[in-house]
Amino acid sequence: MPKPLAGVAEHQARVAGLVGIMPVLVLPIADCLGLVLAEDLIAPIPLPPFDNSAMDGYAVRARDVAEAPVTLPVAQDIPAGMTEVAPLEAGTAHRIMTGAPMPAGADAVIQVEHTDGGTERVLLRTAVPAGTHVRRAADDVAVGALVLRAGRVLGPAQLALAGALGFGGLPVRRRPKVLVLSTGSELVGPGEPLLPGQIYESNGLMLATGVREAGGEAELLRFVPDDVAAFHAAIEPHLADVDLVLTSGGVSAGAYEVVKDAFTGRGVEFLKVAMQPGGPQGAGRYQGVAVVALPGNPVSAQVSFEVFVRPALLASMGFAVVGRRTARARISTSTTSPAGRTQYRRGAYDAESGEVVTPVGGPGSHLLSALAIANCLIEVPEDVTELAAGDLVTIRYLE
Ligand code: AMP
Ligand code: MG
C-alpha cells in the first residue's frame, strides 16, 4: 500500500513549524524597513517636544495686537533650532520661523504675509486670537503614549514616527537566513555554453530572490550535480550560519535522487503532498538545521515556494498575515483537475474586465514561460475535478 498523501495544510504546518520564529534583536532604525515590530513602542518624549510656531512670522501677545494695525519693536529673531529663547516682553514682537520654539509670554503668531516683514520694527496688520499658529507640545503624541503596537509592519511612516520620537534602533524579529541550493547533473549556469541534454539552471535564482522578496536573507550556492558527496560538501560548511536549507530537485521517485539519498534516515522525511504541481516534498531537520526540499520542476518549485516556504518565512519574522491576498473570480475556460489534489494553475487576472481569470499555460510543471506572465495562482480544491467556463474559483495574487 502506498503511503496516503499529506494534505497541503498539513505540510504547510510542518514547514512553518520547522522554520519556527526568529529571535528579537534591536536593529538600527534604517535597517528595519519591512520588518515587524516585536514590542509595543511607548513614546519617551512628547510630540511636538515643545510649543513651536506653525508659521514664519512674529510671535506676539494676542492682546498687544487687538487694535491692529499696530507697529511693535522686534526684540529678537528666533530661527528653528534656537535652544535659548528670551521671554517676550509686553508690547514687543519676536520674529519667529516655522518650528522654532515659542518664547515664554507669547501666545500667538502672526504670519509674515500679514506684516511688513520688518526686522527692527514690524507693522502687524491683523489681530489674531490667542493660540493662532502655535503648535502645542504633546499636541500629536503625549509622553508614555502607545504609538505602535507589537506586530506592526514597519514602513516609511512607522519608521519616521519612531525616528521623530528619538529611537535609534527598534526591536524586531530578524530576517531568516536561507541557504539555497539546486541539484541536477543536467544544470548549466546562465552564460555558459549549453550542450545537448543540458539546461540552464533557474530554480536557484527564483528561490533566492523569492526569499529576499519575502524579507529573508538568501545565500545562493552554485548548484551541484546529482552526487551525494558533492551535495554534502556544498552544504556542510554553511550549516552553522543558516536557519533554513532550501533545496530544489532530487526528491522524486527516480534513480539519482540526490537530496533524498543525502538526507533519508538523517532527520528529513520525504513524502507526497496532495497537490499538483509539487507533489514530492521533503522536510525535516539535518544536524539541527531546518531543511525544506522542493521538487526540481520549475513550476513545482515555484508553487511549492509560494504555498509552503513563503508563508513560513513571513511567520518566522512575526507577520500576522502570511498568505497572499485572495479573491474570487470567474474562470474564462473549462478545465479539469485531478481528484484528491489541490491544483494550482497559473492565471492572468484582470479585475477591470469583470473579474475574470484566464489560465495561462497548461497544467504541466515544466512550463516556465507561463509563470512569468501569470499574476495569480488559481486554486482548485481537492474535490473539484471539472470547471466550466464562468465557474467561480479562488485566486491568490502573486504580486
Ligand atoms: P528533479 O526534481 O531533479 O527530478 O527535476 C525535475 C525536472 O526539473 C527536470 O526536468 C529537471 O531538469 C528540472 N530541474 C531541476 N532542477 C532545476 C533547476 N535548478 N533549474 C531548472 N530546471 C530544473
Ligand atoms: Mg534532478
Side-chain angles (χ1 to χ4, degrees):
M1 273 283 282
K3 267 203 284 186
L5 304 188
V8 169
E10 174 193 337
H11 195 61
Q12 277 173 328
R14 181 179 291 122
V15 170
L18 277 170
V19 177
I21 186 119
M22 295 299 121
V24 174
L25 42 77
V26 175
L27 283 188
I29 189 165
D31 298 338
C32 292
L33 178 66
L35 297 180
V36 176
L37 186 66
E39 293 163 18
D40 287 349
L41 206 66
I42 307 294
I45 58 167
L47 282 185
F50 50 86
D51 291 353
N52 68 93
S53 176
M55 288 286 172
D56 296 326
Y58 294 83
V60 297
R61 287 150 39 119
R63 80 176 89 101
D64 290 344
V65 296
E67 307 294 310
V70 294
T71 298
L72 297 179
V74 177
Q76 202 189 2
D77 238 8
I78 314 174
M82 181 173 268
T83 54
E84 284 177 28
V85 177
L88 184 85
E89 303 291 337
T92 69
H94 285 180
R95 194 162 74 124
I96 193 166
M97 305 305 145
T98 304
M102 286 293 286
D107 58 14
V109 171
I110 298 180
Q111 64 189 94
V112 68
E113 290 83 352
H114 297 158
T115 74
D116 68 355
T119 54
E120 303 287 317
R121 298 177 66 73
V122 62
L123 170 66
L124 303 161
R125 295 202 179 94
T126 53
V128 289
T132 302
H133 300 320
V134 179
R135 304 193 286 213
R136 291 282 170 215
D139 210 12
D140 185 8
V141 176
V143 178
L146 196 171
V147 287
L148 294 173
R149 282 190 191 284
R152 224 341 154 153
V153 181
L154 297 168
Q158 291 73 33
L159 295 177
L161 174 59
L165 288 166
F167 288 97
L170 291 174
V172 290
R173 293 198 180 275
R174 70 163 171 77
R175 300 174 186 280
K177 296 174 197 157
V178 183
L179 185 72
V180 176
L181 177 63
S182 300
T183 63
S185 295
E186 72 279 30
L187 303 177
V188 169
E192 293 169 23
L194 197 66
L195 299 177
Q198 297 182 324
I199 60 167
Y200 286 123
E201 200 285 321
S202 60
N203 288 345
L205 191 61
M206 182 272 293
L207 293 173
T209 52
V211 166
R212 288 182 195 128
E213 204 174 50
E217 286 173 12
E219 184 176 355
L220 175 58
L221 295 186
R222 182 172 166 95
F223 49 88
V224 293
D226 294 316
D227 177 273
V228 170
F231 180 83
H232 280 298
I235 66 163
E236 234 86 334
H238 302 274
L239 288 177
D241 307 324
V242 297
D243 301 300
L244 172 67
V245 175
L246 183 59
T247 66
S248 80
V251 297
S252 42
Y256 311 105
E257 302 290 5
V258 61
V259 178
K260 213 179 200 175
D261 294 346
F263 283 144
T264 295
R266 294 171 143 161
V268 181
E269 188 196 347
F270 292 88
L271 65 157
K272 273 217 161 72
V273 177
M275 65 192 277
Q276 186 206 54
Q281 301 283 337
R285 222 170 257 292
Y286 175 69
Q287 296 187 10
V289 181
V291 171
V292 174
L294 305 181
N297 272 306
V299 179
S300 308
Q302 172 145 354
V303 169
S304 304
F305 178 83
E306 264 300 309
V307 174
F308 303 120
V309 183
R310 188 176 179 279
L313 294 176
L314 291 171
S316 79
M317 289 186 285
F319 282 86
V321 178
V322 299
R324 299 276 199 181
R325 266 188 321 131
T326 61
R328 298 282 281 168
R330 298 199 178 275
I331 196 161
S332 65
T333 59
S334 64
T335 182
T336 59
S337 176
R341 290 176 185 244
T342 305
Q343 188 190 47
Y344 297 95
R345 294 285 295 270
R346 279 63 64 203
Y349 173 66
D350 182 3
E352 266 127 61
S353 74
E355 303 186 342
V356 169
V357 64
T358 306
V360 290
S365 53
H366 61 296
L367 301 169
L368 248 179
S369 65
L371 260 180
I373 54 169
N375 62 3
C376 66
L377 291 177
I378 305 167
E379 196 174 303
V380 187
E382 287 187 14
D383 56 347
V384 174
T385 54
E386 283 185 39
L387 285 168
D391 280 355
L392 273 174
V393 290
T394 297
I395 61 161
R396 298 173 171 234
Y397 289 90
L398 289 173
E399 6 175 82

